Amino acid sequence: MNDKGYSWPEALLVLLLTTIIFGSLLPFATNMTVELGEKKKSMLAARTAFQGAIIHSAYGTLSGVEEVEKTPFEWSIHGTSICVSYLSKGEDIISCYGS
């Protein structure tokens, strides 16, 4: 124990806890944030498809673009299905809904 009342075991415990937090919990939280962002983009693509289907049934439009959070979601009608394409992590993702 030193003159301030801290001992070596306490110091090692603080070092261990700091290592655990920044070595495992912080990367886990970062990875979870990225995965949730991807799922949010997938949900926004489904919403764009739904809105595209409404626009198609009301006006007969076969394609369009909706920009949400600086990401363009392009939708187009193909027969009885609607496909939405968007850019995610540098690659083009295409999601089709319907039969």
Side-chain angles (χ1 to χ4, degrees), residues 68-83:
V68 181
E69 297 179 357
K70 298 181 181 178
T71 302
F73 292 88
E74 300 177 21
W75 61 271
S76 59
I77 302 291
H78 301 284
T80 60
S81 64
I82 184 167
C83 294

Side-chain angles (χ1 to χ4, degrees), residues 46-68:
R47 186 186 76 175
T48 300
F50 178 70
Q51 291 174 345
I54 291 172
I55 291 171
H56 172 67
S57 66
Y59 304 109
T61 307
L62 295 177
S63 64
V65 177
E66 179 184 19
E67 186 171 327
V68 181

Side-chain angles (χ1 to χ4, degrees), residues 1-96:
M1 186 178 293
N2 61 15
D3 59 343
K4 296 186 183 190
Y6 296 112
S7 65
W8 277 104
E10 290 172 337
L12 291 176
L13 180 63
V14 169
L15 182 63
L16 176 68
L17 290 176
T18 304
T19 304
I20 289 173
I21 289 171
F22 289 105
S24 62
L25 296 179
L26 192 60
F28 174 74
T30 303
N31 187 30
M32 187 173 65
T33 303
V34 169
E35 287 180 12
L36 286 175
E38 294 303 313
K39 288 182 181 184
K40 182 178 180 181
K41 281 188 178 182
S42 176
M43 183 272 308
L44 290 172
R47 186 186 76 175
T48 300
F50 178 70
Q51 291 174 345
I54 291 172
I55 291 171
H56 172 67
S57 66
Y59 304 109
T61 307
L62 295 177
S63 64
V65 177
E66 179 184 19
E67 186 171 327
V68 181
E69 297 179 357
K70 298 181 181 178
T71 302
F73 292 88
E74 300 177 21
W75 61 271
S76 59
I77 302 291
H78 301 284
T80 60
S81 64
I82 184 167
C83 294
V84 179
S85 63
Y86 59 96
L87 194 63
S88 179
K89 290 185 178 178
E91 62 183 70
D92 198 25
I93 306 293
I94 299 173
S95 299
C96 293

